[in-house]
Amino acid sequence: MIWWCCSGICRALALLALLFPLQERSCWGLNPSSGDLEKSPHSDPDSWDVLHRNRRSWVWNQFFVLEEYTGNEPLYVGKLHSDVDKGDGKVKYVLSGEGATSIFTIDENTGDIHATKRLDREAQAYYTLQAQAVDRLTNLPVEPKSEFVVKVQDINDNEPKFPDGPYLAGVPEMSPLGTMVVQVVATDADDPTYGNSARVVYSIEHGHPYFSVEPKTGVIRTALPNMDRETRDQYVLVIQAKDMVGQMGGLSGTTSVTVTLTDVNDNPPRFAHKNYQYTVLESLLVQSVVARIKAADADIGSNAEMDYRIMDGDGPGMFNITTDEDTQEGVIMLLKPLDFETKSSFSLRIEATNRNIDSNFLSLGPFSDTTSVKVTVEDVNEPPVFSIPLSKMVVSEDAKVGTSIGRVSAHDPDNSNSPIRYSIDRNTDLERFFNVDALSGVISTAKPLDREANSVHNLTIFAIESHDPTQIGKGITLITVLDVNDNAPVFAIDYETLLCENAIPGQVIQTISAVDKDEPLSGHRFYFALAGPAAGNLNFTLRDNKDNTASILTKRGGFRRREQPVYRLPVLIVDSGSPALSSTNTLSVRVCDCDSDGVALSCGAVAYTATGLSTGALLAILGCIITLLVMVLLIVTMRRRRKEPLILEEERDIRENIVRYDDEGGGEEDTEAFDMVTLRNLNVIRDPNVRRDVTPDTPTFFHYPSASRPSYKSLPDNVVFREFIWERLKDADVDPSAPPYDSLQTYAFEGSGSVAESLSSLESLSTDSDQNYDYLSNWGPRFKKLADLYGNSDSTTVLS
């Protein structure tokens, strides 16, 4: 069997061997299979027989190894040995299980077990291993496996720690002595079942003399009574936890505990002053803030909440006070308008009381305080005030222009009592129907009124201080226009009355009603009748239904459209006004062809069929129309072709531009559009072979025989150029080489009606011209310069 021992165990067994008369001293081992202690084969058999008892089965299968061993050599754990091992080296020991070969090694020859690494109990407290003895040559087991445990023995290598630290705690201020604040807990990773390594005690390192801690439980309590938050509201404690029951050599850890004193209502509100004074303008609006006051309270939160009230004062109902929940201020509000002239100051007594009172601290005094507030009203220049802000007036719509309707009145509320002037806001009276007297305030009509156009006038009246025109008061005046009977009744709608040809006598063909723009107090009452000549007609009659309607009835039958397609009945409508008004309205009755059910099929005049034209006549008319259209198109086309611009070929004859002009003598610039050489040689010989079959449509102004045409020299001066231009035009028209149309640009020509006639200077460039300009001397002093230049006077005359 295998047996094992460690150094301590073997020493203990050796002492036991001395006490028993055993022939051979040895350590006892445990049979892994049976668990019984067996006799050594080398012991004396007689000794067992004499004792007559069995040996105890010792469970000695647990080794101990100290954690955190720091020696240089492997740590000896214990020894394994088998009875089969005779020391001849035939037996080999094998170790398996947790940490075998990595942490624990075994000497296969001797069975000695060593720990090769430093062990940490907090990482693993024990290791389970299996040991076996095998034959060295065959590796066959000579003993069954035996299991044992190596337990790591604890040392004090871990300090206490506070897993929940640092701590935050609170305790009400003014708490009695010994009030629990919080409990701190420290843990130690060492073995709590072995020694004192994990037994912790608590102590307070910082926080005296305000707090204390219980050594065993870690409960922190107040050490002083009546701690005041208003004096100091926070404390930071340092708590120590030490193992080994606090003995020297133990390890320790610390944590901080922040203790906050929570507030209680132990302070009453107090006003900083017993009297407050405020000044406000009398123009302050209602619901405006007059003042803010605050009673100081050293408490915070709900313990500092307070309510304010006005205990008494000489202005009941003028002011109110509420609490501003954000600032806990008392807000004094104005409830009624102020009037400096009526009352210039107010005195109020205000109380502030804590809203949440703690009965435990009533002995500290009343939790309320009072103060006096004086409100002084400061005078301001106020606008005028109307005695009646909204005045109502009535006027008849037939009132004459200038009729007085009523009077408005305003006064200056200030002590100065400034005179008032009145005016109408014309934005409320755009058509200027009314006027107001600036001094008296009397309102009168300025234009005729019409109730049917506007029955109510809403006027804004201005009251202006004479001393300070910027102060303007406003009042409203409602003027109601009373109705008079000035509108005659008329038909309610435009009636379309149809009468069937098969109508019978006494048949109702139309029911009529009337409307009237007037609105009498007693309501409308209309009377109907046929007017004048129609009253005795033989075709229709009218019946007044006495309910503001009337019925039109037939007197006979047998109406025919061919005889008369439309009948017109004048209907007289009279109202009940005083005086009564009437109007005559014409009702048109159209005669219709109806079916058997009385539904109109066709109405009005009968369309007579005219005698038809024959087909030949219609074709002749159509042919004439087509012919006219063709002629019109041809005329339009020819006119458009004449107006088209002349398109010349690239190679064309160079000819003069024929122009007319209408300017009053443009000087030398007039020559730019003319061939001056041609103009100077007017009597040019024409080619007799040119085409003469086309002549210009416009004849010359002077008719001369074709055989003997006078030279241009013999023509009057004012028609020289006109004849020349028409000659050129005629030559262009009969030119066989020219296109069939010409481009003619014309200018207005100064006609013979001009006083100066033509002022053209076409020949001014020529010095040897033989044209006679003596007539310039007869044109007056304005043309004297031209007469001197172009006339036949001698040089002495020109120079003079």
Side-chain angles (χ1 to χ4, degrees):
M1 69 177 180
I2 297 176
W3 54 273
W4 56 86
C5 68
C6 63
S7 58
I9 296 174
C10 290
R11 285 193 295 270
L13 292 178
L15 293 176
L16 292 174
L18 293 176
L19 298 176
F20 293 97
L22 300 177
Q23 184 177 5
E24 179 178 345
R25 293 177 294 174
S26 65
C27 291
W28 302 97
L30 176 66
N31 189 330
S33 60
S34 64
D36 299 331
L37 289 172
E38 297 182 353
K39 179 177 67 176
S40 174
H42 302 289
S43 62
D44 187 358
D46 295 336
S47 301
W48 293 92
D49 296 336
V50 174
L51 292 175
H52 295 288
R53 68 184 180 87
N54 294 328
R55 299 175 181 173
R56 288 185 62 186
S57 297
W58 289 9
V59 184
W60 204 264
N61 62 344
Q62 183 167 282
F63 292 149
F64 292 90
V65 61
L66 194 65
E67 71 168 328
E68 303 295 344
Y69 172 72
T70 58
N72 296 327
E73 298 296 331
L75 178 63
Y76 179 74
V77 178
K79 184 179 181 65
L80 295 178
H81 189 71
S82 174
D83 292 340
V84 182
D85 187 5
K86 303 301 182 180
D88 54 3
K90 294 182 179 180
V91 177
K92 179 175 68 173
Y93 297 96
V94 179
L95 188 65
S96 62
E98 291 182 309
T101 68
S102 61
I103 299 176
F104 301 101
T105 61
I106 187 170
D107 190 326
E108 63 181 14
N109 297 319
T110 63
D112 292 332
I113 301 174
H114 292 82
T116 60
K117 293 183 179 180
R118 187 171 65 177
L119 303 179
D120 185 4
R121 188 201 68 83
E122 288 71 37
Q124 187 167 347
Y126 63 90
Y127 297 86
T128 302
L129 300 171
Q130 294 85 33
Q132 191 174 29
V134 299
D135 186 275
R136 185 179 296 276
L137 297 177
T138 63
N139 283 332
L140 295 176
V142 298
E143 291 278 2
K145 277 187 178 182
S146 178
E147 187 174 83
F148 64 95
V149 175
V150 177
K151 187 174 183 181
V152 182
Q153 188 174 356
D154 184 49
I155 64 172
N156 189 17
D157 61 342
N158 290 280
E159 73 278 1
K161 295 182 179 179
F162 294 89
D164 298 328
Y167 294 84
L168 297 175
V171 63
E173 64 172 330
M174 311 301 290
S175 295
L177 179 66
T179 301
M180 178 180 173
V181 179
V182 70
Q183 183 179 16
V184 296
V185 177
T187 59
D188 196 317
D190 293 326
D191 190 356
T193 64
Y194 178 77
N196 296 324
S197 298
R199 295 182 63 186
V200 177
V201 293
Y202 301 93
S203 62
I204 184 167
E205 290 190 349
H206 182 73
H208 291 294
Y210 306 103
F211 300 92
S212 63
V213 63
E214 294 181 358
K216 294 182 178 181
T217 63
V219 174
I220 300 174
R221 299 182 182 274
T222 58
L224 290 178
N226 301 328
M227 287 190 291
D228 189 7
R229 184 200 65 83
E230 287 73 33
T231 303
R232 182 178 177 182
D233 62 349
Q234 194 174 83
Y235 299 83
V236 179
L237 313 180
V238 177
I239 305 298
Q240 183 189 66
K242 190 173 184 181
D243 59 14
M244 299 300 291
V245 201
Q247 297 177 3
M248 185 176 295
L251 302 178
S252 64
T254 60
T255 187
S256 65
V257 180
T258 301
V259 180
T260 301
L261 296 183
T262 58
D263 186 59
V264 297
N265 193 7
D266 59 339
N267 293 278
R270 291 290 180 264
F271 285 105
H273 306 284
K274 288 301 179 183
N275 294 282
Y276 293 88
Q277 186 167 351
Y278 299 96
T279 301
V280 295
L281 297 175
E282 68 169 327
S283 59
L284 187 68
L285 299 178
V286 174
Q287 297 300 327
S288 297
V289 176
V290 176
R292 287 175 174 263
I293 61 174
K294 185 176 182 180
D297 193 327
D299 298 321
I300 59 175
S302 61
N303 296 320
E305 294 178 355
M306 62 190 73
D307 294 319
Y308 297 86
R309 70 185 182 96
I310 299 176
M311 299 177 64
D312 54 57
D314 55 1
M318 289 293 298
F319 303 95
N320 184 33
I321 187 168
T322 59
T323 302
D324 188 331
E325 297 299 334
D326 295 329
T327 62
Q328 292 302 312
E329 292 178 311
V331 182
I332 302 175
M333 307 287 292
L334 180 64
L335 298 181
K336 295 181 180 179
L338 297 173
D339 187 5
F340 172 82
E341 288 73 24
T342 303
K343 190 172 180 60
S344 61
S345 66
F346 298 88
S347 295
L348 308 175
R349 187 164 183 80
I350 296 176
E351 180 187 47
T353 305
N354 269 144
R355 190 175 298 170
N356 305 303
I357 299 177
D358 193 337
S359 59
N360 296 324
F361 303 100
L362 289 176
S363 60
L364 298 180
F367 285 81
S368 64
D369 195 16
T370 60
T371 187
S372 297
V373 176
K374 184 177 181 181
V375 179
T376 302
V377 181
E378 186 174 300
D379 186 29
V380 296
N381 190 8
E382 300 173 276
V385 177
F386 281 86
S387 56
I388 303 177
L390 176 61
S391 58
K392 297 181 179 180
M393 304 177 185
V394 294
V395 62
S396 177
E397 69 172 319
D398 62 350
K400 295 181 179 180
V401 175
T403 301
S404 296
I405 304 172
R407 181 176 180 273
V408 294
S409 177
H411 68 279
D412 183 6
D414 300 317
N415 293 332
S416 59
N417 196 18
S418 174
I420 305 299
R421 296 184 63 85
Y422 302 94
S423 64
I424 296 177
D425 182 2
R426 290 305 175 183
N427 291 323
T428 61
D429 185 25
L430 296 176
E431 298 184 17
R432 298 180 176 269
F433 284 109
F434 304 95
N435 287 329
V436 62
D437 188 89
L439 299 179
S440 65
V442 173
I443 299 177
S444 59
T445 59
K447 291 173 64 175
L449 303 177
D450 185 4
R451 187 204 64 84
E452 288 71 34
N454 193 350
S455 61
V456 177
H457 296 267
N458 188 343
L459 305 182
T460 298
I461 309 299
F462 291 145
I464 307 171
E465 288 187 13
S466 298
H467 296 165
D468 185 2
T470 61
Q471 298 299 322
I472 302 175
K474 293 183 180 180
I476 304 298
T477 299
L478 293 178
I479 300 177
T480 302
V481 182
L482 300 179
D483 185 43
V484 296
N485 191 25
D486 58 346
N487 290 277
V490 295
F491 278 156
I493 60 174
D494 292 333
Y495 293 100
E496 183 180 3
T497 303
L498 304 180
L499 173 63
C500 292
E501 290 181 325
N502 56 2
I504 60 176
Q507 180 178 341
V508 177
I509 61 173
Q510 183 69 61
T511 300
I512 59 176
S513 62
V515 293
D516 193 330
K517 294 182 180 180
D518 297 320
E519 292 183 1
L521 297 178
S522 58
H524 289 291
R525 176 67 181 94
F526 301 119
Y527 304 93
F528 300 87
L530 291 179
N537 74 91
L538 301 178
N539 299 316
F540 306 97
T541 184
L542 182 146
R543 182 181 65 202
D544 194 334
N545 297 325
K546 308 299 182 180
D547 60 353
N548 291 340
T549 65
S551 299
I552 306 298
L553 298 87
T554 59
K555 279 187 176 182
R556 66 177 180 87
F559 292 92
R560 295 292 180 266
R561 287 187 299 157
R562 292 183 178 275
E563 297 175 359
Q564 186 171 347
V566 179
Y567 293 88
R568 303 189 185 277
L569 292 180
V571 178
L572 177 66
I573 307 176
V574 184
D575 61 18
S576 59
S578 179
L581 297 180
S582 63
S583 67
T584 300
N585 301 264
T586 301
L587 179 67
S588 296
V589 180
R590 299 172 61 192
V591 182
C592 302
D593 181 19
C594 302
D595 58 12
S596 59
D597 295 329
V599 178
L601 299 178
S602 59
C603 301
V606 177
Y608 292 95
T609 304
T611 302
L613 297 176
S614 64
T615 304
L618 292 176
L619 292 176
I621 294 173
L622 182 61
C624 292
I625 294 174
I626 294 174
T627 303
L628 291 174
L629 290 176
V630 171
M631 293 177 65
V632 170
L633 290 175
L634 289 175
I635 293 172
V636 171
T637 304
M638 293 178 63
R639 289 190 175 184
R640 285 185 177 180
R641 292 188 61 185
R642 287 187 178 184
K643 292 181 179 180
E644 288 181 356
L646 177 62
I647 302 175
L648 302 178
E649 298 178 357
E650 292 182 0
E651 295 181 3
R652 61 179 181 175
D653 296 335
I654 303 300
R655 56 180 54 85
E656 297 82 14
N657 293 323
I658 309 302
V659 297
R660 294 177 65 185
Y661 66 97
D662 61 350
D663 53 340
E664 238 356 288
E668 301 295 333
E669 294 180 358
D670 292 342
T671 64
E672 293 181 359
F674 296 95
D675 186 350
M676 300 307 299
V677 176
T678 304
L679 291 176
R680 294 192 188 99
N681 299 279
L682 301 180
N683 298 322
V684 50
I685 301 176
R686 308 288 185 231
D687 187 0
N689 297 325
V690 296
R691 188 177 65 185
R692 299 293 181 180
D693 57 340
V694 179
T695 60
D697 296 333
T698 305
T700 61
F701 288 91
F702 294 88
H703 299 279
Y704 301 99
S706 57
S708 61
R709 177 175 296 180
S711 67
Y712 291 105
K713 290 291 184 177
S714 61
L715 295 177
D717 293 333
N718 58 344
V719 295
V720 172
F721 293 106
R722 275 188 286 175
E723 288 301 316
F724 168 73
I725 291 174
W726 288 120
E727 280 295 317
R728 288 299 186 189
L729 180 59
K730 181 178 179 181
D731 293 341
D733 289 336
V734 299
D735 187 0
S737 62
Y741 51 85
D742 298 300
S743 174
L744 178 63
Q745 184 177 6
T746 63
Y747 291 84
F749 184 81
E750 186 70 39
S752 59
S754 173
V755 176
E757 297 185 352
S758 176
L759 299 180
S760 175
S761 57
L762 293 178
E763 295 188 357
S764 59
L765 296 178
S766 178
T767 57
D768 56 350
S769 174
D770 58 350
Q771 186 172 351
N772 187 10
Y773 292 99
D774 293 339
Y775 57 85
L776 293 177
S777 301
N778 301 324
W779 286 3
R782 289 183 295 175
F783 299 94
K784 184 177 183 301
K785 188 67 175 178
L786 289 176
D788 295 340
L789 292 175
Y790 293 94
N792 293 328
S793 302
D794 54 9
S795 60
T796 57
T797 305
V798 175
L799 293 177
S800 63

